[in-house]
């Protein structure tokens, strides 16, 4: 049996490792178009903030280790360009321009996602960046070191944008942020997004919502960024308006696409074409709260999906459990965490969402330095079922989200959660954990 | 309707507050033997460590506030000494020596727990302390300030003992610990209790297990503490060998006692005698993992129990959800957390417990300063059901226990938990949260 994997990032290498561990005698070939495999993409903003830490340190395991230690036939600089699903052959092009083809018995597509780049005048400029691949990160870091930019404009307001606002500020660069839509963080409860807005302002980040990008022009050593309202001047620009699934290869061989043009897969990671599987950021997945397909590129989903795809390629039945869409990130001193559905998502899924943001403390009230923590559950008004939770705070606020993620998995109501026996000691929490208080307060709004 | 509460601490004042909130027009009388109500007992070690923070700051709400703001008839310096369950009368003695009696319609006993004091020679010495009441805490703090002890001997190895070892060390006092049994922390998985032992040694705490206390004698300004093996010399002694339920009053009027001589109550906080309820450290409660009654004095249980007792005194049906016995504490730099059953408890409850301690990291591996975290689930070998979890580490390790506490409430198996969508971002966790890894590893031992 010959197993072929396209894409050597989280999902692809998780799958290849598992395939080889279970079947050491079988051939496992991975085609990766770049030279980098298995690096911590999520660590890039934090690395950019740290002048002294080389970006190469983000490589968790290098290609050679996969080859020699795990005996995976990892072929970097190999870009797959076509699949013949009938003859079961992958075609491609090497970085030296030559071509290759390879037969497979079972194929995994793990082509990931790519940064969305707006098609506007002046976008191709050496001072205009995205941050998706390790190479993108290296370019930004080199630019900062060589060109010593004083000012940066970030376009977008997602977690990469916010993490990079902090990273660039840490490097002494004055950051301005613009975004197309009017709302700062549309997915976030307004009371919480206001707190994030204040944190940005407190850290001297100017932001201008409601300004769609129109063009970028060069002026001496700087860039002029034009929106439909204003002109901004900056030494560098980061485009951080989101990512899209890299599903063109799958599409071209007739594999069905789903949510957000991601590859549609079943719970066994199977695509619509026999013997072709998909996992990671290129594929969709089930949100177990809404019961609907979603496209949510997240590291744990990719790692888990890779493992489960491998199991199914090995014909060991294994199902992806679905996600609750849990994410955390840092913006300056704030920790921001969410799990489950947003208000909009909850409504679209047919629920009647209610929420109530409360303020609690990071530890017992007797501590003078107990930090504020703002949080809420989102629950269904009719049944009390927990649909999501959002937390903004400091001092370990973000790690609290996991309790809510477990509650979502267990399909708990607010009352079920309120009855959980959470930990208390003065250095860690008030007697009533902030999440218990949030549950208790919101219970009053349930029918 | 006249509501009477005996005991003005967490359970008593939670109940009184709720009674008065729901029924402002009814009489709510609280008898408290001391002058202190509603203080953070758990905060005492941390306060003792902090020379500049007066102990009175631990009082969350003073007696006068309960009287004037909440209109609760709070009578401090009133020690209840007897109950006539037929005539429904509480008898007692005031701190001035006079007596009182009061009729009730519904009575709550919330008499708490008291420190266990061994009956040995020399125990009544002004340099021998326990730490249970605010007054105990004040005595210790005053002694440190006035007598400037250089050395302390702590007898016991529970969380009060460990927190006080840290607190006294912080005050510059050389601490030695002894305990009767041989094992350092018998409830803890051995791999984890070894880490705690090392932390104590690293912080210059000498400890001598397997040494039962025999006598204390005075020698000049110091004390000589005799065990069956050695003699220890110290300027002060802290007895921290545990607490027992203060259930004598309940016993004397024929109320049925249960586990550990605590007052036996049903899920509506009712005792065996009509119209008498009990809550807090004096009462037992249900452990939902073992399905057996337990006696576990914890702050959240007391607060929750007080509220639920009040609901039932008001004849609004409300059930105590049971506990999973979650606790956290700090010992020097270590955060120590547990939830659920210990190995012994699991065996006694009829399970076949298995566990596997793993080492993971507090954040992504690319961080040079990622701290080790050691943890394990305890699960039933036959069914994979999670029975407990224990965590030792730094940097927010303790707050992770809540996810496991929620899983216990939901009666999850290891596989259920492994399928939870926990948060990942480099500053907060590895991609696979330490608890997910612990679940995954232990799954291999399940039948």
């Amino acid at each position: 049996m010959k197993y072929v994997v396209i894409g050597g990032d989280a999902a692809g290498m998780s799958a290849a490792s598992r395939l080889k561990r279970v079947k050491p005698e079988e051939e496992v070939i991975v085609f990766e178009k770049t030279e980098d495999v298995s690096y911590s993409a999520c660590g890039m903003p934090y690395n950019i903030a740290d002048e002294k830490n080389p970006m190469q340190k983000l490589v968790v395991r290098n290609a050679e280790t996969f080859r020699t230690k795990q005996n995976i036939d990892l072929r970097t600089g190999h870009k797959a360009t076509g699949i013949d699903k009938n003859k079961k052959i992958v075609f491609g092009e090497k970085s030296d321009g030559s071509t290759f083809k390879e037969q497979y018995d079972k194929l995994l597509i793990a082509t990931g996602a790519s940064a969305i780049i707006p098609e506007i005048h002046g976008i191709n400029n050496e001072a205009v960046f995205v941050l998706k691949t390790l190479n993108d990160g290296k370019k930004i870091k080199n630019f900062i070191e060589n060109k010593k930019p004083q000012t940066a404009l970030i376009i977008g307001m997602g977690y990469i944008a916010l993490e990079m606002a902090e990273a660039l500020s840490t490097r002494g660069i004055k950051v301005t942020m613009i975004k197309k839509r009017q709302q700062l963080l549309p997915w976030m409860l307004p009371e919480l997004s206001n707190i994030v807005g204040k944190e940005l302002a407190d850290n001297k980040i100017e932001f201008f919502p409601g300004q769609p990008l129109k063009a970028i022009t060069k002026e001496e050593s700087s860039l002029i960024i034009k929106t439909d309202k204003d002109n901004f001047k900056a030494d560098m620009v980061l485009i951080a308006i989101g990512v899209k699934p890299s599903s063109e290869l799958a599409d071209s061989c007739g594999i069905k696409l789903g949510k957000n043009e991601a590859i549609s897969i079943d719970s066994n990671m199977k695509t619509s074409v026999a013997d072709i599987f998909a996992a990671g950021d290129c594929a969709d997945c089930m949100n177990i709260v809404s019961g609907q397909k979603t496209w949510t590129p997240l590291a744990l989903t990719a790692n888990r999906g890779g493992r489960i795809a491998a199991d199914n390629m090995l014909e060991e039945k294994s199902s992806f459990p679905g996600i609750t869409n849990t994410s955390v990130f840092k913006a300056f001193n704030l920790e921001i965490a969410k799990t489950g559905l947003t208000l909009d998502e909850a409504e679209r899924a047919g629920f009647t969402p209610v929420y109530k943001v409360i303020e609690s403390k990071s530890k017992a009230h007797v501590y003078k330095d107990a930090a504020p923590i703002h949080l809420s559950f989102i629950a269904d008004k009719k049944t009390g079922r927990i649909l999501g939770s959002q937390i903004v705070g400091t001092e370990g606020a973000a790690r609290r989200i996991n309790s809510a993620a477990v509650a979502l998995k267990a399909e708990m109501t607010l009352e079920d959660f309120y009855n959980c026996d959470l930990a208390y000691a003065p250095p860690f929490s008030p007697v009533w954990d902030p999440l218990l208080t949030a549950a208790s307060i919101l219970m009053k709004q349930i029918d």
Side-chain angles (χ1 to χ4, degrees), chain A residues 28 62 72 117 146 171 177 194 210 227 229 290 294 305 311 330-331 347-348 385 395 402 407 409 429 434:
Chain A
V28 177
N62 66 28
I72 293 168
I117 300 173
N146 299 331
R171 296 295 299 266
M177 302 180 85
N194 287 344
T227 72
K229 279 195 197 132
S290 67
T294 181
D311 284 344
K330 226 173 129 276
E347 274 171 16
R348 282 203 299 275
R385 181 178 163 192
E395 286 189 16
N402 284 342
K409 177 75 183 167
S429 175

mmCIF file of all heavy atoms in Angstrom, chain A residues 28 62 72 117 146 171 177 194 210 227 229 290 294 305 311 330-331 347-348 385 395 402 407 409 429 434:
data_model
loop_
_atom_site.group_PDB
_atom_site.id
_atom_site.type_symbol
_atom_site.label_atom_id
_atom_site.label_comp_id
_atom_site.label_asym_id
_atom_site.label_seq_id
_atom_site.Cartn_x
_atom_site.Cartn_y
_atom_site.Cartn_z
ATOM 1 N N VAL A 28 5.391 5.887 2.648
ATOM 2 C CA VAL A 28 4.656 7.119 2.954
ATOM 3 C C VAL A 28 5.424 8.283 2.328
ATOM 4 O O VAL A 28 6.547 8.597 2.749
ATOM 5 C CB VAL A 28 4.498 7.337 4.472
ATOM 6 C CG1 VAL A 28 3.802 8.666 4.757
ATOM 7 C CG2 VAL A 28 3.735 6.187 5.122
ATOM 8 N N ASN A 62 12.826 19.407 11.786
ATOM 9 C CA ASN A 62 13.161 19.743 10.413
ATOM 10 C C ASN A 62 12.967 18.558 9.471
ATOM 11 O O ASN A 62 12.752 17.423 9.899
ATOM 12 C CB ASN A 62 14.574 20.346 10.326
ATOM 13 C CG ASN A 62 15.641 19.339 10.685
ATOM 14 O OD1 ASN A 62 15.450 18.149 10.506
ATOM 15 N ND2 ASN A 62 16.761 19.824 11.195
ATOM 16 N N ILE A 72 10.085 8.793 6.803
ATOM 17 C CA ILE A 72 9.050 9.318 5.902
ATOM 18 C C ILE A 72 9.752 9.840 4.647
ATOM 19 O O ILE A 72 10.751 10.546 4.742
ATOM 20 C CB ILE A 72 8.260 10.455 6.596
ATOM 21 C CG1 ILE A 72 7.450 9.895 7.769
ATOM 22 C CG2 ILE A 72 7.356 11.186 5.594
ATOM 23 C CD1 ILE A 72 6.872 10.945 8.683
ATOM 24 N N ILE A 117 -5.252 38.166 -0.363
ATOM 25 C CA ILE A 117 -4.553 39.389 -0.776
ATOM 26 C C ILE A 117 -5.479 40.166 -1.704
ATOM 27 O O ILE A 117 -5.915 39.637 -2.732
ATOM 28 C CB ILE A 117 -3.230 39.035 -1.486
ATOM 29 C CG1 ILE A 117 -2.343 38.235 -0.512
ATOM 30 C CG2 ILE A 117 -2.514 40.298 -1.963
ATOM 31 C CD1 ILE A 117 -1.082 37.689 -1.122
ATOM 32 N N ASN A 146 16.665 45.220 8.598
ATOM 33 C CA ASN A 146 17.448 45.937 7.584
ATOM 34 C C ASN A 146 16.960 47.358 7.335
ATOM 35 O O ASN A 146 17.759 48.264 7.142
ATOM 36 C CB ASN A 146 17.448 45.157 6.267
ATOM 37 C CG ASN A 146 18.078 43.789 6.450
ATOM 38 O OD1 ASN A 146 18.950 43.614 7.310
ATOM 39 N ND2 ASN A 146 17.630 42.813 5.687
ATOM 40 N N ARG A 171 8.669 46.056 18.932
ATOM 41 C CA ARG A 171 9.889 46.372 18.199
ATOM 42 C C ARG A 171 10.069 47.880 18.009
ATOM 43 O O ARG A 171 10.942 48.321 17.256
ATOM 44 C CB ARG A 171 9.885 45.675 16.825
ATOM 45 C CG ARG A 171 9.901 44.150 16.887
ATOM 46 C CD ARG A 171 11.165 43.568 17.483
ATOM 47 N NE ARG A 171 12.360 43.885 16.758
ATOM 48 C CZ ARG A 171 12.902 43.107 15.822
ATOM 49 N NH1 ARG A 171 12.335 41.959 15.516
ATOM 50 N NH2 ARG A 171 14.006 43.476 15.206
ATOM 51 N N MET A 177 -3.958 50.851 12.632
ATOM 52 C CA MET A 177 -4.753 49.756 12.070
ATOM 53 C C MET A 177 -5.976 50.311 11.343
ATOM 54 O O MET A 177 -6.623 51.240 11.829
ATOM 55 C CB MET A 177 -5.213 48.810 13.189
ATOM 56 C CG MET A 177 -4.065 48.224 13.995
ATOM 57 S SD MET A 177 -4.609 47.093 15.324
ATOM 58 C CE MET A 177 -4.780 45.554 14.415
ATOM 59 N N ASN A 194 -15.292 46.365 23.212
ATOM 60 C CA ASN A 194 -14.940 47.707 23.715
ATOM 61 C C ASN A 194 -13.688 47.671 24.585
ATOM 62 O O ASN A 194 -12.878 48.595 24.566
ATOM 63 C CB ASN A 194 -16.087 48.286 24.556
ATOM 64 C CG ASN A 194 -17.256 48.701 23.685
ATOM 65 O OD1 ASN A 194 -17.107 48.834 22.464
ATOM 66 N ND2 ASN A 194 -18.408 48.897 24.296
ATOM 67 N N GLY A 210 -14.110 50.948 9.241
ATOM 68 C CA GLY A 210 -14.976 51.463 8.176
ATOM 69 C C GLY A 210 -14.221 52.101 7.025
ATOM 70 O O GLY A 210 -14.700 53.006 6.367
ATOM 71 N N THR A 227 -7.572 54.715 1.386
ATOM 72 C CA THR A 227 -8.873 54.071 1.580
ATOM 73 C C THR A 227 -9.900 54.962 0.888
ATOM 74 O O THR A 227 -9.536 55.932 0.226
ATOM 75 C CB THR A 227 -9.206 53.948 3.082
ATOM 76 O OG1 THR A 227 -9.504 55.246 3.581
ATOM 77 C CG2 THR A 227 -8.047 53.365 3.857
ATOM 78 N N LYS A 229 -11.697 56.942 2.350
ATOM 79 C CA LYS A 229 -11.837 58.157 3.163
ATOM 80 C C LYS A 229 -10.528 58.920 3.317
ATOM 81 O O LYS A 229 -10.461 60.120 3.119
ATOM 82 C CB LYS A 229 -12.313 57.792 4.580
ATOM 83 C CG LYS A 229 -13.788 57.550 4.706
ATOM 84 C CD LYS A 229 -14.191 57.576 6.183
ATOM 85 C CE LYS A 229 -15.566 56.944 6.388
ATOM 86 N NZ LYS A 229 -15.575 55.982 7.475
ATOM 87 N N SER A 290 -23.514 24.002 16.619
ATOM 88 C CA SER A 290 -24.544 24.358 15.631
ATOM 89 C C SER A 290 -25.055 23.122 14.894
ATOM 90 O O SER A 290 -26.136 23.147 14.317
ATOM 91 C CB SER A 290 -23.966 25.338 14.617
ATOM 92 O OG SER A 290 -22.971 24.701 13.828
ATOM 93 N N THR A 294 -18.587 23.907 9.171
ATOM 94 C CA THR A 294 -17.944 25.200 9.348
ATOM 95 C C THR A 294 -16.568 25.115 8.717
ATOM 96 O O THR A 294 -16.050 24.025 8.454
ATOM 97 C CB THR A 294 -17.830 25.553 10.848
ATOM 98 O OG1 THR A 294 -17.211 26.828 10.995
ATOM 99 C CG2 THR A 294 -16.998 24.525 11.599
ATOM 100 N N GLY A 305 -7.103 16.292 12.837
ATOM 101 C CA GLY A 305 -7.620 15.822 11.552
ATOM 102 C C GLY A 305 -6.606 14.950 10.823
ATOM 103 O O GLY A 305 -6.964 13.927 10.215
ATOM 104 N N ASP A 311 -5.709 7.265 10.338
ATOM 105 C CA ASP A 311 -6.430 6.075 10.814
ATOM 106 C C ASP A 311 -7.353 5.522 9.730
ATOM 107 O O ASP A 311 -7.409 4.314 9.504
ATOM 108 C CB ASP A 311 -7.271 6.419 12.053
ATOM 109 C CG ASP A 311 -6.416 6.554 13.299
ATOM 110 O OD1 ASP A 311 -5.262 6.089 13.277
ATOM 111 O OD2 ASP A 311 -6.898 7.130 14.287
ATOM 112 N N LYS A 330 -3.530 36.769 22.357
ATOM 113 C CA LYS A 330 -3.089 37.834 23.246
ATOM 114 C C LYS A 330 -3.073 39.127 22.444
ATOM 115 O O LYS A 330 -2.695 39.124 21.270
ATOM 116 C CB LYS A 330 -1.667 37.520 23.705
ATOM 117 C CG LYS A 330 -1.410 37.696 25.174
ATOM 118 C CD LYS A 330 -0.038 37.195 25.532
ATOM 119 C CE LYS A 330 0.738 38.240 26.311
ATOM 120 N NZ LYS A 330 1.412 39.247 25.507
ATOM 121 N N ALA A 331 -3.503 40.211 23.059
ATOM 122 C CA ALA A 331 -3.342 41.523 22.447
ATOM 123 C C ALA A 331 -2.827 42.437 23.558
ATOM 124 O O ALA A 331 -3.576 42.807 24.460
ATOM 125 C CB ALA A 331 -4.656 42.046 21.874
ATOM 126 N N GLU A 347 -27.839 32.532 16.173
ATOM 127 C CA GLU A 347 -29.123 32.854 15.530
ATOM 128 C C GLU A 347 -29.281 32.096 14.224
ATOM 129 O O GLU A 347 -30.342 31.530 13.951
ATOM 130 C CB GLU A 347 -29.224 34.361 15.287
ATOM 131 C CG GLU A 347 -29.767 35.077 16.514
ATOM 132 C CD GLU A 347 -29.696 36.587 16.410
ATOM 133 O OE1 GLU A 347 -29.508 37.096 15.290
ATOM 134 O OE2 GLU A 347 -29.808 37.249 17.456
ATOM 135 N N ARG A 348 -28.197 32.080 13.445
ATOM 136 C CA ARG A 348 -28.279 31.385 12.158
ATOM 137 C C ARG A 348 -28.520 29.882 12.343
ATOM 138 O O ARG A 348 -29.088 29.239 11.473
ATOM 139 C CB ARG A 348 -26.987 31.600 11.356
ATOM 140 C CG ARG A 348 -26.920 32.961 10.681
ATOM 141 C CD ARG A 348 -25.974 32.936 9.484
ATOM 142 N NE ARG A 348 -24.611 32.597 9.862
ATOM 143 C CZ ARG A 348 -23.713 33.473 10.294
ATOM 144 N NH1 ARG A 348 -24.013 34.757 10.405
ATOM 145 N NH2 ARG A 348 -22.496 33.078 10.607
ATOM 146 N N ARG A 385 -29.366 25.791 27.152
ATOM 147 C CA ARG A 385 -28.151 25.117 26.678
ATOM 148 C C ARG A 385 -27.042 26.144 26.403
ATOM 149 O O ARG A 385 -27.294 27.198 25.821
ATOM 150 C CB ARG A 385 -28.450 24.341 25.392
ATOM 151 C CG ARG A 385 -27.242 23.610 24.862
ATOM 152 C CD ARG A 385 -27.558 22.797 23.624
ATOM 153 N NE ARG A 385 -26.325 22.442 22.938
ATOM 154 C CZ ARG A 385 -26.273 21.941 21.718
ATOM 155 N NH1 ARG A 385 -27.391 21.727 21.042
ATOM 156 N NH2 ARG A 385 -25.105 21.653 21.167
ATOM 157 N N GLU A 395 -3.887 37.678 33.494
ATOM 158 C CA GLU A 395 -3.578 36.704 34.556
ATOM 159 C C GLU A 395 -4.285 35.370 34.414
ATOM 160 O O GLU A 395 -4.979 34.916 35.329
ATOM 161 C CB GLU A 395 -3.972 37.271 35.916
ATOM 162 C CG GLU A 395 -3.060 38.326 36.410
ATOM 163 C CD GLU A 395 -3.384 38.677 37.865
ATOM 164 O OE1 GLU A 395 -4.085 37.915 38.537
ATOM 165 O OE2 GLU A 395 -2.906 39.715 38.308
ATOM 166 N N ASN A 402 -11.265 26.737 28.587
ATOM 167 C CA ASN A 402 -11.346 25.293 28.378
ATOM 168 C C ASN A 402 -12.489 24.640 29.149
ATOM 169 O O ASN A 402 -13.066 23.658 28.696
ATOM 170 C CB ASN A 402 -10.016 24.628 28.749
ATOM 171 C CG ASN A 402 -8.958 24.859 27.685
ATOM 172 O OD1 ASN A 402 -9.284 25.216 26.554
ATOM 173 N ND2 ASN A 402 -7.700 24.672 28.040
ATOM 174 N N ALA A 407 -17.725 21.928 28.574
ATOM 175 C CA ALA A 407 -19.178 21.999 28.792
ATOM 176 C C ALA A 407 -19.938 21.936 27.467
ATOM 177 O O ALA A 407 -21.002 21.314 27.382
ATOM 178 C CB ALA A 407 -19.531 23.288 29.538
ATOM 179 N N LYS A 409 -18.906 20.431 24.738
ATOM 180 C CA LYS A 409 -18.800 19.042 24.284
ATOM 181 C C LYS A 409 -19.855 18.177 24.975
ATOM 182 O O LYS A 409 -20.444 17.295 24.366
ATOM 183 C CB LYS A 409 -17.394 18.520 24.601
ATOM 184 C CG LYS A 409 -17.154 17.082 24.250
ATOM 185 C CD LYS A 409 -16.986 16.902 22.770
ATOM 186 C CE LYS A 409 -16.820 15.450 22.398
ATOM 187 N NZ LYS A 409 -16.956 15.267 20.963
ATOM 188 N N SER A 429 -8.604 32.299 42.235
ATOM 189 C CA SER A 429 -10.000 32.525 41.863
ATOM 190 C C SER A 429 -10.776 33.083 43.050
ATOM 191 O O SER A 429 -10.406 32.851 44.191
ATOM 192 C CB SER A 429 -10.612 31.177 41.453
ATOM 193 O OG SER A 429 -11.976 31.304 41.203
ATOM 194 N N PRO A 434 -15.309 32.871 38.239
ATOM 195 C CA PRO A 434 -15.989 33.807 37.331
ATOM 196 C C PRO A 434 -16.970 33.124 36.371
ATOM 197 O O PRO A 434 -18.044 33.668 36.101
ATOM 198 C CB PRO A 434 -14.824 34.431 36.557
ATOM 199 C CG PRO A 434 -13.671 34.389 37.514
ATOM 200 C CD PRO A 434 -13.857 33.130 38.306
#
